[in-house]
Amino acid sequence: MGRKVTPVDDDRQTALADLGRTRRRNRLATVDWFDSFYHAYLTALGVGAAIIVGSTFIPDEEVTTASALQVASDGPALVGLAIAVIFALGLRSGGRGGPLSLEAATVAHVLLAPVDRAAAMRSPAVRQLRFGAYAGVLVGAVAGLLAARRLPVDAYASVLCGAVTGAVVALGAVGAALVVSGRRASPAVANVVALAVVGAAAADVVAGTALVPTSALARLALWPLAFEPVALVGAALALAIAGLGLAGVGGISLEAARRRAGLVSELRFAVTLQDLRTVVLLRRRLAQERPRSRPWVRVPASLGHRFPVLRRDLGGILRFPTTRVVRLVALGAVAGLALAGAWAGTSALLLVAGLALYVAALDAVEPLAQEVDHPDRWAGFPLDLGGLLLRHLGASVAVMVTVTAVTVLTVAILAPASVVVPLGAALLLPVSLAATAAAAASTSQGLAQPKATSSAVPEFAGMALVVRNAWPPALVVVSLVPVLAARSAVADGLSPAPVAAAVASIPVLFTGIALLWLSQRAPARL
């Protein structure tokens, strides 16, 4: 039997609710509404431009009836695998004390106060679930819009089912994180369960079946193509997980909450300053990533006599933890899946592939980032400006060549290998170099420094900041454009590799400009 609720407990809960309402009123009183509307305006402008470009200027052809039937047959398992990955991310977040990010004052005063911890945590948990559902609706709606351009389905029904599926998946993933954190499961247990979820979904794809719960939930997104009531079972299971996580939210670890509160506070401040390097470091601390005590392979000491920078870089890369190595391989596979979809006709997936390779490159340029972190040491070497940064790119390019090779291998499994292999050989080095240059440029930019001349016109200052953050990942996406040119060449009966190599000259030029810009970087002033 549970503890009996006394009038004193009711008074404490009422006081806690009053304090929460007072904090919200005080917070709203200090909000700069003009600044908030301006940020909303910039966000809406960027999202609107992306949707217009994605739905109008990117040519997509509607698939045939036979292809649509194949999507209805094989789609649930493939989409279910993507859903399983999202649930796995939720489970891993819960194992690290997430997904709630409380303020330090809440942890120090509210959670240590003589009140029911479950009642105190319920409101933040509901807000987290609400935000997750909102993000899921947006992502699912965009995915439904893109699917409607390729499949013979009603666009409104596709967007609606995509939005509902996204919301349910987000609620289930956040709920899974709450379940794990509420029961204080160790990271090892969370990782094992996450691996089991992804493994079951992957086995579903290989076997050509759709039996696991994530595949059942995926059928909800495909309702406009084939209505199957079993999707309601998957949706009900996801919502049940969310309810179970909300019910057990009071079991969260105080130590994990305190640690996460401090790191998330620093992370938000770094995002405000647009300091990408600090964001990457704090994300690793949240994920509890630590370098290996021993390298995967020993680097010969003789290499340091002729190439000291290369030897030091390889020594650091070979100490990457297992989670980072798995993440690099997974991002390469995600890029491959997206490129396979772009090759099949969904050109907008080129953006997904570019972003996946860009994120992988942010890990690959860790040696350069370590140099940027110590500007005093960097300034002490007898090299001109960014000459040392360029020397750090060799090992990073080697890492990205490996990641891009995983991408090519993934595409070769899903598309004709006779076409993919020559095309991949032609684009392997240019794409790897572009991704490395883009990540190195983002890392070495440092804090945003708005110019006084542009601060007088907020629109120009805002757009300048957008361009500053957008051009590095855009460079990676542009480096993949030859894939679309090769697709058109195959449709016209031409050899794809020479066409792609010719088109790749333009991204290579942009990469050269980025490297030239990088060579002029100087250590930040202390």
Side-chain angles (χ1 to χ4, degrees):
M1 296 180 63
R3 187 175 66 88
K4 183 179 179 180
V5 179
T6 65
V8 175
D9 293 328
D10 292 335
D11 293 340
R12 290 170 178 170
Q13 299 302 329
T14 302
L16 183 62
D18 291 340
L19 287 173
R21 285 190 292 268
T22 303
R23 289 192 66 190
R24 286 192 293 271
R25 285 197 301 268
N26 293 337
R27 185 172 298 171
L28 291 175
T30 59
V31 171
D32 187 345
W33 292 106
F34 177 81
D35 185 66
S36 300
F37 281 123
Y38 173 66
H39 283 89
Y41 155 73
L42 287 180
T43 303
L45 184 64
V47 173
I51 292 177
I52 291 175
V53 171
S55 61
T56 304
F57 296 101
I58 298 179
D60 285 333
E61 298 179 0
E62 186 173 300
V63 301
T64 62
T65 303
S67 298
L69 293 176
Q70 185 177 4
V71 171
S73 174
D74 301 337
L78 292 173
V79 178
L81 178 59
I83 294 174
V85 171
I86 296 174
F87 272 81
L89 293 177
L91 291 168
R92 294 190 71 244
S93 174
R96 300 191 297 264
L100 299 182
S101 301
L102 304 174
E103 296 180 354
T106 301
V107 178
H109 300 290
V110 176
L111 297 188
L112 293 177
V115 296
D116 184 13
R117 187 177 298 174
M121 296 292 297
R122 191 167 295 119
S123 179
V126 170
R127 288 197 300 268
Q128 187 74 28
L129 289 168
R130 186 173 58 201
F131 175 78
Y134 173 72
V137 165
L138 293 181
V139 175
V142 172
L145 178 63
L146 294 177
R149 290 177 54 82
R150 301 292 325 280
L151 300 174
V153 296
D154 181 73
Y156 294 103
S158 180
V159 170
L160 177 61
C161 290
V164 173
T165 304
V168 173
V169 170
L171 288 173
V174 176
L178 291 174
V179 169
V180 174
S181 63
R183 280 147 186 81
R184 305 188 186 185
S186 65
V189 173
N191 291 337
V192 169
V193 176
L195 184 62
V197 171
V198 175
D204 227 12
V205 174
V206 174
T209 59
L211 302 177
V212 299
T214 54
S215 299
L217 177 56
R219 297 179 187 275
L220 181 61
L222 299 176
W223 265 7
L225 197 61
F227 178 79
E228 297 184 68
V230 71
L232 297 176
V233 177
L237 180 60
L239 295 177
I241 293 175
L244 185 62
L246 187 61
V249 71
I252 187 173
S253 168
L254 284 177
E255 291 77 10
R258 183 183 296 110
R259 174 181 176 276
R260 190 175 179 86
L263 292 176
V264 170
S265 177
E266 296 177 18
L267 183 62
R268 289 170 179 167
F269 184 69
V271 171
T272 302
L273 296 178
Q274 300 187 20
D275 187 357
L276 179 62
R277 175 57 180 167
T278 303
V279 170
V280 171
L281 291 176
L282 290 173
R283 181 189 60 80
R284 290 175 184 168
R285 290 180 61 186
L286 278 171
Q288 300 181 7
E289 287 189 15
R290 297 180 180 86
R292 291 171 55 90
S293 58
R294 295 183 178 180
W296 294 94
V297 179
R298 292 285 182 181
V299 181
S302 58
L303 184 64
H305 299 311
R306 297 187 58 186
F307 306 101
V309 176
L310 179 61
R311 183 182 183 279
R312 195 186 79 179
D313 293 349
L314 290 176
I317 289 173
L318 291 173
R319 291 180 182 271
F320 279 2
T322 304
T323 54
R324 195 177 306 175
V325 174
V326 172
R327 182 169 64 245
L328 288 171
V329 174
L331 288 170
V334 168
L337 293 173
L339 285 178
W343 184 266
T346 308
S347 306
L349 290 177
L350 200 72
L351 301 175
V352 178
L355 291 176
L357 291 177
Y358 172 70
V359 173
L362 290 177
D363 280 331
V365 297
E366 181 63 21
L368 177 143
Q370 292 283 350
E371 202 71 72
V372 174
D373 290 344
H374 302 86
D376 53 342
R377 185 179 63 186
W378 174 14
F381 290 109
L383 295 173
D384 295 334
L385 298 177
L388 183 59
L389 298 185
L390 294 181
R391 298 192 182 195
H392 281 296
L393 296 183
S396 300
V397 171
V399 174
M400 284 310 301
V401 166
T402 305
V403 174
T404 310
V406 174
T407 301
V408 174
L409 179 61
T410 304
V411 179
I413 295 175
L414 301 175
S418 59
V419 176
V420 172
V421 172
L423 180 61
L427 298 180
L428 182 66
L429 186 58
V431 171
S432 302
L433 187 58
T436 304
S442 295
T443 303
S444 62
Q445 284 186 118
L447 300 180
Q449 299 291 340
K451 297 181 179 179
T453 54
S454 62
S455 60
V457 185
E459 285 76 10
F460 291 167
M463 293 307 298
L465 292 177
V466 170
V467 172
R468 177 183 185 272
N469 295 322
W471 77 261
L475 175 61
V476 187
V477 175
V478 170
S479 70
L480 296 174
V481 170
V483 174
L484 301 183
R487 185 184 68 182
S488 300
V490 171
D492 296 336
L494 302 176
S495 179
V499 174
V503 176
S505 60
I506 298 178
V508 168
L509 176 62
F510 290 153
T511 302
I513 295 174
L515 293 175
L516 179 62
W517 177 87
L518 189 65
S519 68
Q520 302 302 314
R521 304 305 297 166
R525 294 181 180 178
L526 299 179

